[in-house]
């Protein structure tokens, strides 16, 4: 199996989009509910071929260009933490 290569350029640009939207959420009525959050948490479990597409999988693929199963992504105002299983 080929080693995984993450697209860091797109990751940085796309993570900036998330953080910019989060920091200006109070300016937009549809995002106002997330303006006072301390963190955003995305959790994905094991993947099955029978599963319907998940939003967390879509976000991972959009951010990283790759989907990691059993992953925890914690976005705080000053940092992002990834915790992945050792299965991939």
């Amino acid at each position: 199996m080929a080693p995984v290569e993450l697209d860091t350029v797109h990751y940085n640009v796309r993570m900036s989009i998330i953080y910019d939207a989060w920091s200006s959420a109070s300016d937009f009525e549809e995002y106002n509910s997330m303006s006072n959050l301390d963190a955003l948490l995305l959790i994905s479990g094991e993947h099955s071929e029978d599963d319907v597409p998940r939003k967390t999988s879509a976000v991972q693929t959009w951010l990283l260009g790759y989907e990691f199963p059993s992953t925890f992504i914690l976005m705080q105002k000053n940092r992002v933490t990834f915790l992945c299983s050792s299965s991939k």
Side-chain angles (χ1 to χ4, degrees), residues 52-72:
V52 294
R54 300 178 186 169
K55 291 178 185 175
T56 54
S57 298
V59 171
Q60 277 190 42
T61 303
W62 180 70
L63 277 175
L64 304 168
Y66 192 81
E67 179 188 355
F68 292 97
S70 301
T71 301
F72 164 108

